[in-house]
Amino acid sequence: MGERDLNEWIIKLVDLLPAQYKTVLTLYHLDGMNYSEIGVVTEMPEGTVKNYLFRARNLLKEKVKQYLGKEAEL
């Protein structure tokens, strides 16, 4: 899998996340915003932003594990 394919695959997995997790993850990692900036944009408390980011990363990690497990079966 090339770098371009990997990036497209990750974007597809991020798209599968619930909207609130996808938003926080995107703002943090792609837009480079910090917790307080994301809080202002999303009108969420900073603690909620941190929690959603933690959950989004865990869900994404699980999706990667599931996908890689399916690949190993082929």
Side-chain angles (χ1 to χ4, degrees):
M1 183 179 289
E3 186 175 334
R4 182 175 179 207
D5 293 335
L6 182 62
N7 287 340
E8 289 176 9
W9 177 68
I10 291 171
I11 289 170
K12 287 179 184 178
L13 290 178
V14 169
D15 282 339
L16 297 175
L17 295 174
Q20 69 273 22
Y21 297 160
K22 178 181 169 183
T23 299
V24 170
L25 190 76
T26 302
L27 291 173
Y28 186 83
H29 287 288
L30 297 181
D31 296 335
M33 292 185 172
N34 62 37
Y35 300 131
S36 61
E37 292 170 330
I38 295 170
V40 169
V41 170
T42 61
E43 298 180 351
M44 290 183 211
E46 192 171 317
T48 302
V49 171
K50 289 178 183 179
N51 185 290
Y52 281 11
L53 187 56
F54 176 80
R55 290 180 182 184
R57 288 173 177 156
N58 281 339
L59 282 173
L60 191 57
K61 183 169 63 173
E62 288 304 313
K63 290 186 182 304
V64 168
K65 283 182 183 179
Q66 288 173 356
Y67 180 81
L68 292 178
K70 289 178 185 173
E71 284 287 308
E73 293 173 4
L74 296 178

